[in-house]
Amino acid sequence: MLTACVSQQSALHPAGWEAERVDILFWVMVAGGAVIFVGVIGLLLYATRHHTRRKVHSEQAAGRLIVGGTLFTIATLALLLGYSLWLMQDLRPWTLKEGESRLEVEVTGEQFWWRVVYREGEGTPRVITANEVRLPVGERVNFILNSADMIHSFWIPSLGGKMDMIPGRTTQLSLLATKPGTFRAPCAEYCGTSHALMAFSAVAMEPADFEAWLDARAAPSPAAQGDGHDAFMRQGCGACHSIQGTQAAGTIGPDLSHVGSRVSLAAGILPNDEESLTRFIRNAEAVKPGARMPAYDMLADDELAAIARYLKGLE
Ligand code: CUA
């Protein structure tokens, strides 16, 4: 039970404006439920102890209970509904105020990973990445959500509520991080074999750090050439993956420019090191059943090691 106390993925440790509202609603509900529970148990004890001695007219008492119970339930539920509807108006993208959303991030759910695109205006993407979302603290971010295949659900519990990602349809979610930190975000809609192995990291950064990060990601990594690069190209990895500053321009799989600096590998399930890279390339299916990446177990150990070292070096 104590594992639930880790604040990395918890709606009860809010680090965002929306999550704070959800947290308040939760505690209001818990407090209300506790008061009602104590009241009902108290009445029950009272009724069982005193009823027989006092000879209350049972029909009259029953009538009072029915009317009282019905009115109390209606009033309580109506109050809670009104309160949550009032809170909800702040949690939906159509309440965005004029000019409030400066940054838009497109996130697409794939077979079991996340495609992430930072765009400025209508133009070409400024940065394309995967399985990691970064956002500046104190600045509202509008997430434009799509899906390539199944229904997935975008959910960063520490920052706010969830939103479905539906094929052929664009949904939106706006979030405002209030504290810096790294949070875990699981896929929240069953989407196939590796649904439970589909997560991403959300990193809330100070605005200046975020800008510096975006600028660094917009340029190719200095380590984009070399032995590992040659092996990567020779094995045809570039047919599915892109690496900025190289001939690799595939778009089927995750973009690997700067992959070495990501918080995790394989959409939140492996630590980002050479060993995990080797393991995943050798047999992706064994790590993540249903993933579309084929096994490369025919590669010689030294070639595989060179590719893993190369990818880890792309920071
Ligand atoms: Cu994607 Cu569940």
Side-chain angles (χ1 to χ4, degrees), residues 63-124:
R64 247 184 272 147
L65 267 180
I66 290 169
V67 173
T70 311
L71 286 182
F72 177 75
T73 310
I74 292 175
T76 311
L77 290 180
L79 274 175
L80 277 176
L81 179 68
Y83 179 62
S84 47
L85 286 176
W86 175 76
L87 268 180
M88 255 165 71
Q89 56 180 340
D90 290 335
L91 301 181
R92 288 296 169 241
W94 52 81
T95 60
L96 271 187
K97 292 173 191 85
E98 221 8 64
E100 203 182 23
S101 177
R102 270 156 294 171
L103 183 68
E104 290 205 331
V105 183
E106 294 171 20
V107 184
T108 307
E110 302 271 350
Q111 199 165 324
F112 310 109
W113 58 280
W114 315 78
R115 191 186 296 274
V116 182
V117 178
Y118 296 80
R119 229 179 260 282
E120 247 161 29
E122 297 292 299
T124 46

Short mmCIF file of all heavy atoms in Angstrom, two decimals, residues 63-124:
data_model
loop_
_atom_site.label_atom_id
_atom_site.label_comp_id
_atom_site.label_asym_id
_atom_site.label_seq_id
_atom_site.Cartn_x
_atom_site.Cartn_y
_atom_site.Cartn_z
N GLY A 63 -42.04 7.08 8.52
CA GLY A 63 -42.35 8.17 7.59
C GLY A 63 -41.31 9.27 7.65
O GLY A 63 -40.80 9.75 6.65
N ARG A 64 -40.94 9.64 8.87
CA ARG A 64 -39.95 10.69 9.07
C ARG A 64 -38.61 10.29 8.46
O ARG A 64 -37.92 11.08 7.84
CB ARG A 64 -39.77 10.97 10.57
CG ARG A 64 -40.28 12.34 10.97
CD ARG A 64 -39.98 12.59 12.43
NE ARG A 64 -41.05 12.09 13.30
CZ ARG A 64 -40.85 11.59 14.51
NH1 ARG A 64 -39.64 11.48 14.99
NH2 ARG A 64 -41.88 11.19 15.23
N LEU A 65 -38.26 9.02 8.66
CA LEU A 65 -36.99 8.53 8.13
C LEU A 65 -36.97 8.57 6.61
O LEU A 65 -35.97 8.98 6.00
CB LEU A 65 -36.76 7.08 8.58
CG LEU A 65 -35.96 6.91 9.85
CD1 LEU A 65 -35.81 5.44 10.17
CD2 LEU A 65 -34.59 7.56 9.71
N ILE A 66 -38.11 8.16 6.00
CA ILE A 66 -38.16 8.13 4.54
C ILE A 66 -38.02 9.53 3.97
O ILE A 66 -37.20 9.81 3.10
CB ILE A 66 -39.44 7.44 4.04
CG1 ILE A 66 -39.37 5.94 4.37
CG2 ILE A 66 -39.63 7.64 2.54
CD1 ILE A 66 -40.67 5.20 4.17
N VAL A 67 -38.84 10.47 4.54
CA VAL A 67 -38.78 11.85 4.04
C VAL A 67 -37.41 12.46 4.31
O VAL A 67 -36.75 13.01 3.42
CB VAL A 67 -39.90 12.70 4.69
CG1 VAL A 67 -39.73 14.16 4.31
CG2 VAL A 67 -41.26 12.19 4.24
N GLY A 68 -36.94 12.31 5.56
CA GLY A 68 -35.64 12.87 5.95
C GLY A 68 -34.51 12.29 5.11
O GLY A 68 -33.67 13.01 4.57
N GLY A 69 -34.54 10.97 4.93
CA GLY A 69 -33.48 10.29 4.18
C GLY A 69 -33.47 10.73 2.73
O GLY A 69 -32.41 10.97 2.14
N THR A 70 -34.67 10.87 2.13
CA THR A 70 -34.74 11.27 0.72
C THR A 70 -34.26 12.71 0.54
O THR A 70 -33.42 12.99 -0.32
CB THR A 70 -36.20 11.16 0.22
OG1 THR A 70 -36.71 9.89 0.59
CG2 THR A 70 -36.29 11.33 -1.28
N LEU A 71 -34.78 13.61 1.39
CA LEU A 71 -34.38 15.01 1.26
C LEU A 71 -32.88 15.19 1.48
O LEU A 71 -32.21 15.90 0.74
CB LEU A 71 -35.16 15.87 2.27
CG LEU A 71 -36.63 16.12 1.94
CD1 LEU A 71 -37.26 17.03 3.00
CD2 LEU A 71 -36.77 16.76 0.55
N PHE A 72 -32.37 14.49 2.52
CA PHE A 72 -30.95 14.62 2.84
C PHE A 72 -30.10 14.15 1.67
O PHE A 72 -29.14 14.82 1.26
CB PHE A 72 -30.64 13.80 4.10
CG PHE A 72 -29.18 13.83 4.45
CD1 PHE A 72 -28.63 14.96 5.04
CD2 PHE A 72 -28.36 12.74 4.18
CE1 PHE A 72 -27.28 15.01 5.36
CE2 PHE A 72 -27.01 12.79 4.49
CZ PHE A 72 -26.47 13.91 5.09
N THR A 73 -30.49 12.99 1.07
CA THR A 73 -29.70 12.45 -0.05
C THR A 73 -29.74 13.40 -1.24
O THR A 73 -28.70 13.70 -1.84
CB THR A 73 -30.28 11.08 -0.46
OG1 THR A 73 -30.42 10.31 0.72
CG2 THR A 73 -29.39 10.38 -1.44
N ILE A 74 -30.95 13.88 -1.58
CA ILE A 74 -31.08 14.78 -2.73
C ILE A 74 -30.26 16.06 -2.50
O ILE A 74 -29.50 16.49 -3.37
CB ILE A 74 -32.56 15.12 -3.01
CG1 ILE A 74 -33.30 13.86 -3.49
CG2 ILE A 74 -32.69 16.26 -4.03
CD1 ILE A 74 -34.79 14.05 -3.67
N ALA A 75 -30.39 16.62 -1.31
CA ALA A 75 -29.68 17.87 -1.03
C ALA A 75 -28.17 17.66 -1.10
O ALA A 75 -27.44 18.45 -1.72
CB ALA A 75 -30.08 18.40 0.35
N THR A 76 -27.68 16.57 -0.50
CA THR A 76 -26.24 16.33 -0.47
C THR A 76 -25.69 16.13 -1.89
O THR A 76 -24.69 16.74 -2.28
CB THR A 76 -25.92 15.06 0.35
OG1 THR A 76 -26.61 15.17 1.58
CG2 THR A 76 -24.45 14.92 0.59
N LEU A 77 -26.39 15.26 -2.67
CA LEU A 77 -25.91 14.98 -4.01
C LEU A 77 -25.98 16.22 -4.90
O LEU A 77 -25.09 16.47 -5.71
CB LEU A 77 -26.69 13.82 -4.64
CG LEU A 77 -26.41 12.45 -4.00
CD1 LEU A 77 -27.21 11.36 -4.67
CD2 LEU A 77 -24.93 12.11 -4.03
N ALA A 78 -27.06 17.02 -4.72
CA ALA A 78 -27.19 18.23 -5.53
C ALA A 78 -26.06 19.21 -5.21
O ALA A 78 -25.46 19.82 -6.10
CB ALA A 78 -28.55 18.88 -5.28
N LEU A 79 -25.74 19.34 -3.90
CA LEU A 79 -24.65 20.24 -3.51
C LEU A 79 -23.32 19.77 -4.10
O LEU A 79 -22.56 20.57 -4.65
CB LEU A 79 -24.53 20.27 -1.98
CG LEU A 79 -25.43 21.28 -1.27
CD1 LEU A 79 -25.31 21.12 0.25
CD2 LEU A 79 -25.03 22.70 -1.68
N LEU A 80 -23.06 18.47 -3.98
CA LEU A 80 -21.80 17.94 -4.50
C LEU A 80 -21.72 18.09 -6.02
O LEU A 80 -20.68 18.45 -6.56
CB LEU A 80 -21.67 16.45 -4.14
CG LEU A 80 -21.14 16.17 -2.74
CD1 LEU A 80 -21.15 14.68 -2.46
CD2 LEU A 80 -19.74 16.74 -2.56
N LEU A 81 -22.85 17.84 -6.70
CA LEU A 81 -22.87 17.97 -8.16
C LEU A 81 -22.60 19.42 -8.55
O LEU A 81 -21.76 19.70 -9.42
CB LEU A 81 -24.22 17.51 -8.71
CG LEU A 81 -24.37 17.63 -10.23
CD1 LEU A 81 -23.45 16.64 -10.93
CD2 LEU A 81 -25.81 17.38 -10.66
N GLY A 82 -23.30 20.34 -7.87
CA GLY A 82 -23.11 21.76 -8.17
C GLY A 82 -21.67 22.18 -7.95
O GLY A 82 -21.05 22.86 -8.78
N TYR A 83 -21.09 21.73 -6.81
CA TYR A 83 -19.72 22.09 -6.49
C TYR A 83 -18.75 21.54 -7.53
O TYR A 83 -17.86 22.25 -8.00
CB TYR A 83 -19.38 21.56 -5.10
CG TYR A 83 -17.98 21.87 -4.68
CD1 TYR A 83 -17.55 23.19 -4.53
CD2 TYR A 83 -17.07 20.85 -4.42
CE1 TYR A 83 -16.25 23.48 -4.17
CE2 TYR A 83 -15.77 21.12 -4.05
CZ TYR A 83 -15.36 22.44 -3.92
OH TYR A 83 -14.07 22.70 -3.56
N SER A 84 -18.95 20.26 -7.93
CA SER A 84 -17.99 19.69 -8.89
C SER A 84 -18.17 20.30 -10.28
O SER A 84 -17.18 20.50 -11.00
CB SER A 84 -18.07 18.16 -8.94
OG SER A 84 -19.39 17.73 -9.01
N LEU A 85 -19.41 20.65 -10.66
CA LEU A 85 -19.60 21.33 -11.96
C LEU A 85 -18.93 22.70 -11.95
O LEU A 85 -18.30 23.11 -12.92
CB LEU A 85 -21.09 21.48 -12.27
CG LEU A 85 -21.82 20.22 -12.70
CD1 LEU A 85 -23.31 20.49 -12.89
CD2 LEU A 85 -21.22 19.65 -13.97
N TRP A 86 -19.03 23.37 -10.79
CA TRP A 86 -18.41 24.69 -10.67
C TRP A 86 -16.89 24.56 -10.77
O TRP A 86 -16.22 25.37 -11.42
CB TRP A 86 -18.83 25.30 -9.33
CG TRP A 86 -18.16 26.60 -9.03
CD1 TRP A 86 -18.45 27.81 -9.58
CD2 TRP A 86 -17.08 26.82 -8.13
NE1 TRP A 86 -17.61 28.77 -9.07
CE2 TRP A 86 -16.76 28.19 -8.17
CE3 TRP A 86 -16.36 25.98 -7.27
CZ2 TRP A 86 -15.75 28.75 -7.41
CZ3 TRP A 86 -15.34 26.54 -6.52
CH2 TRP A 86 -15.05 27.91 -6.59
N LEU A 87 -16.32 23.51 -10.13
CA LEU A 87 -14.87 23.29 -10.23
C LEU A 87 -14.46 22.93 -11.65
O LEU A 87 -13.41 23.33 -12.14
CB LEU A 87 -14.47 22.13 -9.32
CG LEU A 87 -14.04 22.41 -7.91
CD1 LEU A 87 -13.67 21.10 -7.22
CD2 LEU A 87 -12.84 23.34 -7.86
N MET A 88 -15.33 22.15 -12.32
CA MET A 88 -14.98 21.60 -13.63
C MET A 88 -14.81 22.66 -14.70
O MET A 88 -14.04 22.48 -15.64
CB MET A 88 -16.06 20.63 -14.10
CG MET A 88 -15.64 19.18 -14.01
SD MET A 88 -17.06 18.10 -14.14
CE MET A 88 -17.48 18.30 -15.84
N GLN A 89 -15.50 23.78 -14.56
CA GLN A 89 -15.39 24.80 -15.61
C GLN A 89 -13.95 25.31 -15.75
O GLN A 89 -13.55 25.80 -16.79
CB GLN A 89 -16.35 25.96 -15.36
CG GLN A 89 -16.16 26.61 -14.01
CD GLN A 89 -17.12 27.76 -13.79
OE1 GLN A 89 -17.67 28.29 -14.73
NE2 GLN A 89 -17.32 28.13 -12.54
N ASP A 90 -13.17 25.15 -14.68
CA ASP A 90 -11.76 25.56 -14.76
C ASP A 90 -10.88 24.47 -15.35
O ASP A 90 -9.70 24.68 -15.61
CB ASP A 90 -11.23 25.88 -13.36
CG ASP A 90 -11.86 27.15 -12.82
OD1 ASP A 90 -12.28 27.98 -13.64
OD2 ASP A 90 -11.92 27.30 -11.60
N LEU A 91 -11.43 23.28 -15.49
CA LEU A 91 -10.60 22.15 -15.88
C LEU A 91 -10.71 21.83 -17.36
O LEU A 91 -10.13 20.86 -17.83
CB LEU A 91 -10.99 20.90 -15.09
CG LEU A 91 -10.88 21.01 -13.57
CD1 LEU A 91 -11.28 19.71 -12.92
CD2 LEU A 91 -9.47 21.37 -13.17
N ARG A 92 -11.46 22.59 -18.11
CA ARG A 92 -11.69 22.24 -19.50
C ARG A 92 -11.10 23.27 -20.45
O ARG A 92 -11.10 24.46 -20.15
CB ARG A 92 -13.21 22.09 -19.74
CG ARG A 92 -13.76 20.83 -19.11
CD ARG A 92 -13.15 19.60 -19.75
NE ARG A 92 -13.43 18.37 -19.03
CZ ARG A 92 -12.51 17.57 -18.51
NH1 ARG A 92 -11.26 17.88 -18.58
NH2 ARG A 92 -12.83 16.46 -17.90
N PRO A 93 -10.57 22.80 -21.60
CA PRO A 93 -9.83 23.71 -22.47
C PRO A 93 -10.64 24.88 -23.00
O PRO A 93 -10.09 25.92 -23.31
CB PRO A 93 -9.36 22.80 -23.61
CG PRO A 93 -10.16 21.55 -23.50
CD PRO A 93 -10.57 21.43 -22.08
N TRP A 94 -11.97 24.73 -23.11
CA TRP A 94 -12.72 25.84 -23.70
C TRP A 94 -12.83 27.03 -22.75
O TRP A 94 -13.37 28.05 -23.09
CB TRP A 94 -14.11 25.40 -24.19
CG TRP A 94 -14.92 24.66 -23.17
CD1 TRP A 94 -15.65 25.19 -22.17
CD2 TRP A 94 -15.10 23.25 -23.09
NE1 TRP A 94 -16.25 24.20 -21.44
CE2 TRP A 94 -15.94 23.00 -21.99
CE3 TRP A 94 -14.63 22.17 -23.84
CZ2 TRP A 94 -16.31 21.71 -21.62
CZ3 TRP A 94 -15.00 20.90 -23.46
CH2 TRP A 94 -15.82 20.67 -22.37
N THR A 95 -12.29 26.88 -21.53
CA THR A 95 -12.30 28.04 -20.64
C THR A 95 -10.99 28.83 -20.76
O THR A 95 -10.80 29.79 -20.05
CB THR A 95 -12.47 27.62 -19.16
OG1 THR A 95 -11.38 26.77 -18.82
CG2 THR A 95 -13.78 26.91 -18.94
N LEU A 96 -10.11 28.42 -21.66
CA LEU A 96 -8.86 29.15 -21.87
C LEU A 96 -9.15 30.62 -22.16
O LEU A 96 -9.94 30.94 -23.02
CB LEU A 96 -8.12 28.58 -23.08
CG LEU A 96 -7.15 27.45 -22.85
CD1 LEU A 96 -6.42 27.15 -24.13
CD2 LEU A 96 -6.20 27.81 -21.73
N LYS A 97 -8.46 31.46 -21.43
CA LYS A 97 -8.67 32.88 -21.66
C LYS A 97 -7.86 33.34 -22.87
O LYS A 97 -6.88 32.70 -23.24
CB LYS A 97 -8.28 33.67 -20.40
CG LYS A 97 -9.25 33.37 -19.27
CD LYS A 97 -8.79 34.00 -17.97
CE LYS A 97 -9.62 33.47 -16.81
NZ LYS A 97 -9.12 32.20 -16.27
N GLU A 98 -8.30 34.42 -23.46
CA GLU A 98 -7.64 35.00 -24.64
C GLU A 98 -6.13 35.12 -24.43
O GLU A 98 -5.68 35.71 -23.44
CB GLU A 98 -8.23 36.39 -24.79
CG GLU A 98 -8.61 37.00 -26.13
CD GLU A 98 -8.58 36.19 -27.41
OE1 GLU A 98 -9.34 35.23 -27.52
OE2 GLU A 98 -7.85 36.59 -28.33
N GLY A 99 -5.37 34.56 -25.34
CA GLY A 99 -3.91 34.71 -25.29
C GLY A 99 -3.24 33.96 -24.15
O GLY A 99 -2.06 34.13 -23.90
N GLU A 100 -4.00 33.11 -23.45
CA GLU A 100 -3.43 32.45 -22.29
C GLU A 100 -2.51 31.30 -22.67
O GLU A 100 -1.52 31.06 -22.01
CB GLU A 100 -4.57 31.93 -21.40
CG GLU A 100 -4.15 31.74 -19.98
CD GLU A 100 -5.29 31.18 -19.16
OE1 GLU A 100 -6.20 30.56 -19.71
OE2 GLU A 100 -5.25 31.36 -17.94
N SER A 101 -2.87 30.60 -23.76
CA SER A 101 -2.05 29.47 -24.14
C SER A 101 -1.01 29.87 -25.17
O SER A 101 -1.32 30.16 -26.30
CB SER A 101 -2.93 28.36 -24.72
OG SER A 101 -2.09 27.31 -25.13
N ARG A 102 0.23 29.90 -24.73
CA ARG A 102 1.28 30.29 -25.64
C ARG A 102 1.94 29.07 -26.29
O ARG A 102 2.35 29.10 -27.41
CB ARG A 102 2.34 31.12 -24.91
CG ARG A 102 2.03 32.60 -24.95
CD ARG A 102 2.69 33.30 -23.82
NE ARG A 102 2.11 32.87 -22.55
CZ ARG A 102 2.59 33.18 -21.37
NH1 ARG A 102 3.67 33.90 -21.29
NH2 ARG A 102 1.99 32.79 -20.27
N LEU A 103 2.00 28.01 -25.51
CA LEU A 103 2.71 26.84 -26.00
C LEU A 103 1.72 25.72 -26.33
O LEU A 103 0.84 25.40 -25.54
CB LEU A 103 3.68 26.37 -24.92
CG LEU A 103 4.55 25.18 -25.30
CD1 LEU A 103 5.54 25.59 -26.38
CD2 LEU A 103 5.27 24.66 -24.08
N GLU A 104 1.89 25.16 -27.53
CA GLU A 104 1.07 24.01 -27.89
C GLU A 104 1.97 22.81 -28.11
O GLU A 104 3.00 22.90 -28.77
CB GLU A 104 0.29 24.30 -29.18
CG GLU A 104 -0.79 25.33 -28.98
CD GLU A 104 -1.92 25.22 -29.99
OE1 GLU A 104 -1.64 24.77 -31.11
OE2 GLU A 104 -3.05 25.57 -29.64
N VAL A 105 1.59 21.69 -27.53
CA VAL A 105 2.37 20.46 -27.69
C VAL A 105 1.43 19.40 -28.24
O VAL A 105 0.36 19.16 -27.68
CB VAL A 105 2.96 20.00 -26.34
CG1 VAL A 105 3.82 18.76 -26.54
CG2 VAL A 105 3.78 21.11 -25.70
N GLU A 106 1.84 18.81 -29.38
CA GLU A 106 1.02 17.74 -29.96
C GLU A 106 1.52 16.39 -29.45
O GLU A 106 2.71 16.11 -29.53
CB GLU A 106 1.16 17.72 -31.48
CG GLU A 106 0.59 18.95 -32.16
CD GLU A 106 0.95 18.99 -33.64
OE1 GLU A 106 1.30 17.93 -34.21
OE2 GLU A 106 0.90 20.09 -34.21
N VAL A 107 0.62 15.60 -28.94
CA VAL A 107 1.00 14.27 -28.48
C VAL A 107 0.11 13.26 -29.19
O VAL A 107 -1.11 13.40 -29.20
CB VAL A 107 0.85 14.13 -26.95
CG1 VAL A 107 1.35 12.76 -26.50
CG2 VAL A 107 1.63 15.22 -26.24
N THR A 108 0.74 12.25 -29.82
CA THR A 108 -0.01 11.22 -30.53
C THR A 108 0.25 9.87 -29.88
O THR A 108 1.40 9.50 -29.67
CB THR A 108 0.40 11.17 -32.01
OG1 THR A 108 0.29 12.49 -32.55
CG2 THR A 108 -0.49 10.24 -32.80
N GLY A 109 -0.81 9.16 -29.56
CA GLY A 109 -0.67 7.82 -29.00
C GLY A 109 -0.36 6.83 -30.12
O GLY A 109 -1.03 6.84 -31.15
N GLU A 110 0.68 6.01 -29.94
CA GLU A 110 1.07 5.02 -30.95
C GLU A 110 1.06 3.66 -30.27
O GLU A 110 0.78 3.54 -29.08
CB GLU A 110 2.47 5.34 -31.48
CG GLU A 110 2.62 6.73 -32.09
CD GLU A 110 2.29 6.77 -33.58
OE1 GLU A 110 2.14 5.69 -34.18
OE2 GLU A 110 2.21 7.88 -34.13
N GLN A 111 1.44 2.62 -31.07
CA GLN A 111 1.42 1.27 -30.48
C GLN A 111 2.64 1.06 -29.63
O GLN A 111 3.68 0.62 -30.10
CB GLN A 111 1.31 0.21 -31.57
CG GLN A 111 0.83 -1.12 -31.02
CD GLN A 111 0.38 -2.05 -32.13
OE1 GLN A 111 -0.19 -1.60 -33.11
NE2 GLN A 111 0.64 -3.32 -31.98
N PHE A 112 2.71 1.24 -28.64
CA PHE A 112 2.74 1.56 -27.25
C PHE A 112 3.81 2.59 -26.91
O PHE A 112 4.66 2.36 -26.09
CB PHE A 112 2.87 0.27 -26.45
CG PHE A 112 1.85 -0.77 -26.88
CD1 PHE A 112 2.21 -1.91 -27.58
CD2 PHE A 112 0.49 -0.55 -26.64
CE1 PHE A 112 1.26 -2.84 -27.97
CE2 PHE A 112 -0.46 -1.47 -27.02
CZ PHE A 112 -0.07 -2.62 -27.69
N TRP A 113 3.72 3.73 -27.56
CA TRP A 113 4.61 4.83 -27.21
C TRP A 113 3.92 6.15 -27.59
O TRP A 113 2.80 6.14 -28.09
CB TRP A 113 5.97 4.68 -27.92
CG TRP A 113 5.89 4.62 -29.42
CD1 TRP A 113 5.55 3.52 -30.17
CD2 TRP A 113 6.12 5.68 -30.35
NE1 TRP A 113 5.56 3.84 -31.50
CE2 TRP A 113 5.92 5.16 -31.65
CE3 TRP A 113 6.49 7.01 -30.22
CZ2 TRP A 113 6.06 5.94 -32.80
CZ3 TRP A 113 6.64 7.77 -31.37
CH2 TRP A 113 6.43 7.23 -32.64
N TRP A 114 4.60 7.26 -27.31
CA TRP A 114 4.00 8.58 -27.51
C TRP A 114 4.87 9.44 -28.43
O TRP A 114 6.05 9.61 -28.18
CB TRP A 114 3.86 9.30 -26.16
CG TRP A 114 3.33 8.45 -25.07
CD1 TRP A 114 4.03 7.52 -24.35
CD2 TRP A 114 2.00 8.41 -24.56
NE1 TRP A 114 3.21 6.92 -23.43
CE2 TRP A 114 1.96 7.43 -23.53
CE3 TRP A 114 0.83 9.11 -24.87
CZ2 TRP A 114 0.81 7.15 -22.82
CZ3 TRP A 114 -0.31 8.82 -24.14
CH2 TRP A 114 -0.32 7.85 -23.13
N ARG A 115 4.26 9.98 -29.46
CA ARG A 115 4.96 10.89 -30.37
C ARG A 115 4.69 12.32 -29.87
O ARG A 115 3.53 12.68 -29.62
CB ARG A 115 4.37 10.73 -31.77
CG ARG A 115 5.13 11.40 -32.89
CD ARG A 115 4.36 11.29 -34.20
NE ARG A 115 4.20 9.91 -34.69
CZ ARG A 115 5.08 9.26 -35.44
NH1 ARG A 115 6.19 9.85 -35.80
NH2 ARG A 115 4.87 8.02 -35.84
N VAL A 116 5.74 13.10 -29.70
CA VAL A 116 5.57 14.43 -29.11
C VAL A 116 6.17 15.49 -30.04
O VAL A 116 7.32 15.35 -30.47
CB VAL A 116 6.28 14.50 -27.72
CG1 VAL A 116 6.07 15.86 -27.09
CG2 VAL A 116 5.77 13.39 -26.81
N VAL A 117 5.39 16.49 -30.39
CA VAL A 117 5.84 17.53 -31.32
C VAL A 117 5.61 18.91 -30.71
O VAL A 117 4.50 19.23 -30.27
CB VAL A 117 5.08 17.42 -32.66
CG1 VAL A 117 5.51 18.52 -33.62
CG2 VAL A 117 5.29 16.05 -33.30
N TYR A 118 6.68 19.70 -30.67
CA TYR A 118 6.57 21.10 -30.25
C TYR A 118 6.56 21.96 -31.49
O TYR A 118 7.47 21.92 -32.29
CB TYR A 118 7.77 21.50 -29.37
CG TYR A 118 7.85 20.74 -28.08
CD1 TYR A 118 8.39 19.46 -28.06
CD2 TYR A 118 7.39 21.27 -26.89
CE1 TYR A 118 8.46 18.73 -26.88
CE2 TYR A 118 7.46 20.56 -25.70
CZ TYR A 118 7.99 19.29 -25.70
OH TYR A 118 8.06 18.59 -24.54
N ARG A 119 5.53 22.74 -31.63
CA ARG A 119 5.39 23.56 -32.81
C ARG A 119 5.33 25.03 -32.41
O ARG A 119 4.86 25.35 -31.32
CB ARG A 119 4.07 23.20 -33.51
CG ARG A 119 4.19 22.94 -34.97
CD ARG A 119 2.81 22.57 -35.49
NE ARG A 119 2.66 21.13 -35.66
CZ ARG A 119 3.17 20.45 -36.68
NH1 ARG A 119 3.86 21.06 -37.61
NH2 ARG A 119 2.98 19.16 -36.78
N GLU A 120 5.77 25.90 -33.29
CA GLU A 120 5.56 27.32 -33.03
C GLU A 120 4.70 27.85 -34.15
O GLU A 120 5.14 27.88 -35.30
CB GLU A 120 6.90 28.05 -32.98
CG GLU A 120 7.21 28.57 -31.61
CD GLU A 120 8.67 28.87 -31.44
OE1 GLU A 120 9.32 29.21 -32.44
OE2 GLU A 120 9.16 28.77 -30.31
N GLY A 121 3.49 28.20 -33.86
CA GLY A 121 2.55 28.63 -34.90
C GLY A 121 2.24 27.47 -35.82
O GLY A 121 2.26 26.31 -35.42
N GLU A 122 1.99 27.78 -37.11
CA GLU A 122 1.57 26.76 -38.06
C GLU A 122 2.75 26.06 -38.72
O GLU A 122 2.59 25.07 -39.39
CB GLU A 122 0.70 27.40 -39.16
CG GLU A 122 -0.59 28.01 -38.66
CD GLU A 122 -1.57 26.96 -38.16
OE1 GLU A 122 -1.97 26.10 -38.96
OE2 GLU A 122 -1.92 27.01 -36.97
N GLY A 123 3.94 26.62 -38.54
CA GLY A 123 5.11 26.18 -39.30
C GLY A 123 5.58 24.77 -39.02
O GLY A 123 4.89 23.98 -38.37
N THR A 124 6.76 24.44 -39.53
CA THR A 124 7.33 23.13 -39.32
C THR A 124 7.65 22.96 -37.84
O THR A 124 7.91 23.94 -37.14
CB THR A 124 8.64 22.97 -40.13
OG1 THR A 124 9.42 24.13 -39.94
CG2 THR A 124 8.36 22.76 -41.60
#
